Amino acid sequence: MVRSKAPAKKQQKKGIDFKKIKRKLGRKLPPPNNATNTEIKSKAIILPEQSVAAEKSGLATSKKGLTLKELLQQTSHHNAKVRKDAIYGIKDLFKNHPEELQSHKYAIIQKLRERISDDDKLVRDAFYQLFKIDIFPACKEDNQGPMVSLLMPYIFSAMANSVIDVRLMAFKFFHLVVENYPPTFSLDAEKILENYKDIIQKNHFYVQDKSKLKVALSGLAHCLSLLPCDESDTESQKKGPLQNETLLAYEQDTAKDCVSFAHVCGRLKEIVGVLINCFQDFIPLIHAPRGFDADSFDCIHHLLRSIGYAIKFSIRRHMQRQTAWQPASEEVTLMILDQDIASILLKNLLGSFPLNPENNLYGKGDERYFRLNSVLTEIFLEVSEWSHFPTDISNRFLEFIENTLLGKITRSIRLSKDIHEKTLLALFPFVPKLILRVDRDWRDNLLQAFTIAFSDCKPESELKLACISTVRDMIIPNGDIFYPNASDRTVNNYQVAWVNKLPSLLNQLGDKHPVSTQVVLQLLLDLGRVGYLNTSPTWEDDIRNFFSLCQGEGDVPGGPFASLPREAQELALCFLYYFTTDKFSSPMMNAIISCCLYPQLEPAVLYRIVEILHTAYRAGYIQITDHFGFLITLIARFKVVPEKLQSPIECNERETYCGTFKEVTKLVCSCLSEMGDSSLVLQIVEKVLLEQIILKPALDNGCAILRMICVLDSTPTRLSERSVTTLSEFLPGYMIDIVNCIPEDKENSYLYIQTCLYYLVPCYFLFNRSSKLTEQVLIRMRSMISENTNALELVQDRESGRNSLNLIQCIISVILLMHNDVKVRKIISSFKSEIDLILQNVITLQSSRSTSLTVEGKHMMKIAGERLRIASTSLLA
């Protein structure tokens, strides 16, 4: 048997341990299968109030979103750029949020003061500008004392820094502090001066860079300008609109100032020596043909200014001690002008005058040389009071002063007007004493030059005020200045010429420049007090125009005087008293009256004018007839209701004018009662007063004239028969006007009666003194009622009838007012028959059938007649 073949077995594939994978070049390899996945996935967790922006909400931030605290912290950063940016950020923050500075100013200063000594120049400059532009101006109204006390220790530390630029910034910043708070210098003057002396003396940086020297010298000059030289300088720190305004911030009194500067004289002597040595280094540059640059000029100018201030202070201190006879210690009495310093001044400083390349007075040059020569001249004028100089040096300075007064140098070098005026302002105070020290020829030249300068000044300029002050010193004895009397004709002629310019100057200034006008008035008053008002023919015209201008259209009736401040008006009135001692003519009196009648004149000024003129009369300076004319004209022409106040809307102003006129009337009556025997005075003015009565003045003016008569009259009356007749014709109409012009107030009858009583009282006095006058007035009233009763019977015109009826009612009201007064009732009881006749006419009128008399009119007459009948019945009792 054949065995069948077994099926063939399928070949199995062998396992592969490492499979090769072909990779293409440039492809990234996949990660291995056993690689660990390090990727972390998370979700954001949101928590409220965790953002930085939310933390700063409501806080002031800079443009970069930084708060004030963060910016202050960055000012101490080690990186200079960060510190600088932080200061600029603070500046930006203050610009948009100024309240931040006011709220945190002390904390800000405590942090920023460290930057005074910063080693980076840009940071120091940014620090300086921040205080100059932002911090100090914003704190100007605050008390800056605590701020300065925080800054000064760091300033002194920076002044002693070994880096010269840091020291210069310290002096520059200190200058800024003193400009904003002047008492800083007086708080530690000796230490400050020592630092200035040290930087100028020991560091010769100015040889290479004069701009650095200028930083120190400008601050020194400013500090020395704050030294109090005399009482007037001290007063100018507290007040005085024309004084040095830089010192207005001083808050210390005079005694404290004297103590603060009591021990600086010795230090000033050292500084003057250092400054003179420094000046010597500039002399070759001054006389160089090419001149010097701006920085060199500033350095020399500050040098000379500092020397001048130091010398002035020391001399004034010495003069004060001599005047007060005060013993002083050796340190205090140390004078700058000892032998060594005086010789140095003469040889190296004043001996080099004039400063210009040609070394002569008329050498060509710009205004810078003129300014330096002006400062040298001030130093010469200060020192020359205490030390004699060679004739050639003195003549050079005197020639410069004369030519400056005449303006010759100004024209030769085309000097600017401002610089010339500033130079004259500095020279004028020395002129009075200088003229006393020089010989006759120089005296005449300087007097003539000053007179020309005085005439050339503009009336409103500060230069004119300085001239006026100089004129005062050269006329009025003042301390050690005493000018010759009238025996020296040359000086006297110049004095008269100056004084004669003052009245016209008053009118040129007018009320547009009240401060200048006040200065002129003060001088005129002082001249009057010393008896030096030698008036020229034009004096009265100028003074008259000052008080009253009525010569052309547009002129103010009250003149410039009426619009001046109260203080200036008082000076003018006091001067007017002395002016009357020389000449007070009728035109002048009319001008004063016109001024008094000016509606806008203050009542107090009006009263003061009356008082001044009455005082002048009592002193014998005004004739009695002129004074009477002034008082009567004032009362007769015064307008209680000026034309511009006629509208009823301004009734309150009318009451004001009435009150003013009542006070004037009272004042005039008081003056009349003091002018002598009343009977004699009445004889003089009776005719004039009655002439005014005949003119039928306004109600208030008539009342005032009657009061003047009553003041001078007595019981029984001294008035003539003619005067009594004139009054009897005037009084009925006057009394009717009282009732007619003063409306009856039924709600306040007391006020109505009191108002009427003010106007009726003079009539009552006259009635009491003259029964004849009373009788004639009543007869005149009865006659007026009879005439108007007959007129009502004849006329048919209702308007005319209404006027007649109103007149009758006014007369009845007058009689009833007289009846209400107990004393007057007794007076008119003697003339009851006249009142009965008046009553009879009223009764007759009630039964009239005239068509001009309405039913209402008849009813009113019935009421008036009944009231008059009751009054007449009471007279019988």
Side-chain angles (χ1 to χ4, degrees), residues 416-660:
S416 68
K417 186 177 180 181
D418 291 340
I419 294 177
H420 183 232
E421 288 187 358
K422 289 180 180 179
T423 304
L424 290 177
L425 288 172
L427 294 180
F428 280 154
F430 296 100
V431 172
K433 290 185 179 181
L434 180 63
I435 291 175
L436 292 178
R437 296 197 305 269
V438 299
D439 58 34
R440 190 180 188 87
D441 292 337
W442 273 118
R443 185 198 67 181
D444 294 345
N445 292 341
L446 292 176
L447 285 173
Q448 182 180 7
F450 172 76
T451 303
I452 293 174
F454 184 26
S455 301
D456 292 343
C457 299
K458 290 185 178 180
E460 68 279 3
S461 67
E462 188 178 357
L463 205 57
K464 183 69 79 173
L465 297 182
C467 287
I468 293 172
S469 177
T470 306
V471 168
R472 176 195 302 277
D473 291 338
M474 289 195 285
I475 296 179
I476 302 175
N478 179 23
D480 54 347
I481 304 178
F482 188 80
Y483 273 78
N485 53 24
S487 61
D488 192 331
R489 296 189 61 182
T490 302
V491 176
N492 184 258
N493 289 338
Y494 280 112
Q495 290 174 336
V496 172
W498 301 331
V499 173
N500 287 340
K501 295 178 183 293
L502 298 179
S504 60
L505 179 59
L506 266 184
N507 288 312
Q508 293 173 13
L509 293 170
D511 56 355
K512 305 299 182 184
H513 308 279
V515 175
S516 300
T517 302
Q518 186 170 330
V519 173
V520 178
L521 288 171
Q522 183 65 61
L523 177 56
L524 286 170
L525 175 58
D526 293 340
L527 292 172
R529 286 170 175 167
V530 298
Y532 203 89
L533 289 178
N534 297 324
T535 59
S536 66
T538 61
W539 257 67
E540 183 180 339
D541 293 339
D542 292 325
I543 299 300
R544 187 170 64 245
N545 291 336
F546 176 71
F547 281 95
S548 177
L549 285 174
C550 299
Q551 299 175 355
E553 294 185 5
D555 289 338
V556 179
F561 167 83
S563 302
L564 287 173
R566 183 68 182 89
E567 186 176 355
Q569 290 177 331
E570 179 63 25
L571 289 174
L573 294 178
C574 292
F575 155 70
L576 186 64
Y577 170 82
Y578 292 102
F579 180 74
T580 60
T581 63
D582 184 74
K583 191 174 184 181
F584 207 77
S585 62
S586 297
M588 185 66 202
M589 185 68 77
N590 292 333
I592 299 300
I593 293 174
S594 177
C595 180
C596 293
L597 299 178
Y598 182 51
Q600 278 69 44
L601 189 68
E602 290 292 330
V605 180
L606 174 59
Y607 308 150
R608 185 65 175 147
I609 293 175
V610 177
E611 292 174 0
I612 290 289
L613 293 185
H614 188 62
T615 304
Y617 159 75
R618 288 189 299 178
Y621 301 147
I622 300 179
Q623 298 293 329
I624 188 171
T625 52
D626 291 333
H627 195 43
F628 282 144
F630 166 73
L631 296 176
I632 295 173
T633 306
L634 176 61
I635 290 297
R637 291 175 53 188
F638 192 96
K639 291 185 177 181
V640 176
V641 185
E643 295 179 359
K644 76 179 192 71
L645 298 180
Q646 295 293 340
S647 62
I649 300 176
E650 299 175 341
C651 59
N652 291 334
E653 293 192 53
R654 185 189 186 285
E655 292 179 3
T656 302
Y657 277 87
C658 286
T660 300

Side-chain angles (χ1 to χ4, degrees), residues 280-292:
Q280 288 179 306
D281 296 334
F282 284 97
I283 290 180
L285 187 61
I286 292 173
H287 296 298
R290 296 182 179 180
F292 42 72

Side-chain angles (χ1 to χ4, degrees), residues 78-195:
H78 62 86
N79 188 295
K81 185 179 183 304
V82 175
R83 296 197 301 271
K84 182 191 69 174
D85 292 342
I87 294 177
Y88 285 138
I90 293 173
K91 182 180 180 66
D92 175 65
L93 184 70
F94 290 163
K95 181 179 180 181
N96 298 317
H97 304 280
E99 68 280 357
E100 289 293 300
L101 174 58
Q102 292 297 330
S103 302
H104 309 286
K105 60 183 177 182
Y106 295 119
I108 293 169
I109 292 173
Q110 283 180 328
K111 188 63 178 176
L112 289 178
R113 61 185 177 175
E114 303 169 357
R115 298 305 104 212
I116 298 177
S117 302
D118 197 284
D119 54 3
D120 187 84
K121 182 180 183 303
L122 296 178
V123 175
R124 294 194 302 269
D125 290 340
F127 163 81
Y128 177 85
Q129 293 298 325
L130 177 64
F131 273 83
K132 180 180 179 180
I133 299 175
D134 296 286
I135 295 180
F136 279 139
C139 302
K140 189 175 183 179
E141 303 298 328
D142 303 335
N143 181 12
Q144 297 184 9
M147 294 172 51
V148 172
S149 64
L150 293 173
L151 291 169
M152 286 309 298
Y154 285 78
I155 293 176
F156 283 130
S157 176
M159 286 180 176
N161 197 289
S162 58
V163 181
I164 187 62
D165 288 338
V166 174
R167 298 184 69 188
L168 288 173
M169 174 53 71
F171 285 100
K172 183 179 179 180
F173 184 73
F174 175 73
H175 189 187
L176 178 66
V177 173
V178 174
E179 285 180 337
N180 287 273
Y181 188 62
T184 304
F185 175 60
S186 64
L187 295 176
D188 211 340
E190 193 170 7
K191 185 175 181 180
I192 292 168
L193 293 177
E194 173 64 26
N195 280 284

Side-chain angles (χ1 to χ4, degrees), residues 728-745:
S728 66
E729 294 175 354
F730 170 75
L731 288 179
Y734 168 77
M735 299 172 77
I736 291 171
D737 287 342
I738 294 174
V739 177
N740 199 28
C741 295
I742 302 175
E744 185 174 1
D745 189 354

Side-chain angles (χ1 to χ4, degrees), residues 824-833 835 874-876:
V824 180
R825 188 188 308 163
K826 293 181 180 179
I827 297 173
I828 63 177
S829 296
S830 303
F831 309 100
K832 182 177 181 299
S833 58
I835 296 177
S874 65
L875 291 178
L876 182 64

Side-chain angles (χ1 to χ4, degrees), residues 593 624-637 672 680-697 701-702 704-706 708-709 712 719-720 722-723 726-727:
I593 293 174
I624 188 171
T625 52
D626 291 333
H627 195 43
F628 282 144
F630 166 73
L631 296 176
I632 295 173
T633 306
L634 176 61
I635 290 297
R637 291 175 53 188
L672 288 175
L680 296 177
V681 174
L682 181 60
Q683 291 180 18
I684 298 173
V685 301
E686 181 179 356
K687 181 180 178 181
V688 180
L689 290 175
L690 268 298
E691 287 176 352
Q692 297 296 326
I693 288 292
I694 293 173
L695 296 176
K696 295 183 178 180
N701 302 87
I705 295 173
L706 292 176
M708 293 171 68
I709 295 174
L712 300 174
L719 296 173
S720 63
R722 184 176 180 180
S723 297
T726 302
L727 287 173

